[in-house]
Amino acid sequence: MAQSLSPSLSSAAPSPSSAGSATAAARRARGGALASAALAMGLISGFFYAYACSVMMGLARLDDRAFIDTMQWINATVRNRWFAPSFFGALALTAAAVLVHLPRDGRRVLLWVVAALALYGAAFGITLGVNVPLNNDLAAAGDPATLGDPSAVRAAFEDRWVAWNAARAVASTAALACLLRALVLHGREAGLRRR
């Protein structure tokens, strides 16, 4: 009887090679999640950075009506198939990277990924809580050519939008730095385990 049980017990236990391949697959999944999150984060942080260091500086030189008209058109077209994967993808992919690092052997990297998620969560919240409502208010102002006081409309929008855009640019760039640090740590750990 003991002899008949021993083959079934030994077959139920994972072999060292299958355990090793599962660990290697988990490492690859973690690396892929980190790389995907970092790519999306790099795109969106670059987007916010470009507004902070060039777009808004250029628009600041326009007269009030031209400024309002240009920003209305930018806001009307920015929500497109190119923008969405980075804006929403950075959040979803970083959250996925957190999940795959929850097991004990991913905890060394986990802190950095959680920090990235928190930082980008702040940038995401700023966008939805401040920048988008300001965009909507500017759109609701109507045709710049018919505005009685375009300078007041601009004043209610520009400085606040620029300041909060700078905040989300800093937060998303810091999130990218955290993801890059996580990738470095992941690479070091993978290299040590191969030795």
Side-chain angles (χ1 to χ4, degrees), residues 12-192:
S15 68
S17 62
S18 66
S21 63
T23 302
R27 275 198 308 267
R28 283 193 298 276
R30 288 176 186 149
L34 286 173
S36 299
L39 176 61
M41 196 68 71
L43 290 171
I44 197 62
S45 64
F47 176 84
F48 296 148
Y49 174 76
Y51 270 88
C53 71
S54 63
V55 175
M56 298 312 291
M57 288 180 175
L59 294 182
R61 296 174 177 262
L62 297 176
D63 66 65
D64 295 335
R65 293 184 198 279
F67 174 89
I68 294 167
D69 187 50
T70 303
M71 280 304 300
Q72 285 177 336
W73 278 111
I74 289 172
N75 295 334
T77 58
V78 73
R79 286 173 275 193
N80 57 59
R81 61 182 177 157
W82 302 108
F83 172 76
S86 58
F87 181 67
F88 296 104
L91 189 67
L93 292 168
T94 305
V98 167
L99 292 177
V100 298
H101 283 89
L102 287 175
R104 185 178 300 252
D105 59 342
R107 299 275 173 89
R108 185 164 180 233
V109 174
L110 181 62
L111 177 64
W112 291 98
V113 189
V114 168
L117 183 61
L119 286 161
Y120 186 64
F124 194 88
I126 288 168
T127 301
L128 296 183
V130 181
N131 294 89
V132 168
L134 285 170
N135 293 346
N136 293 339
D137 290 346
L138 194 67
D143 184 351
T146 64
L147 292 176
D149 190 0
S151 64
V153 172
R154 180 178 186 168
F157 173 87
E158 186 176 16
D159 289 344
R160 191 163 174 232
W161 196 99
V162 167
W164 283 105
N165 178 68
R168 66 183 179 170
V170 169
S172 58
T173 302
L176 175 60
C178 289
L179 288 172
L180 294 176
R181 177 63 178 159
L183 271 169
V184 169
L185 290 174
H186 171 78
R188 285 181 186 165
E189 287 183 358
L192 288 172

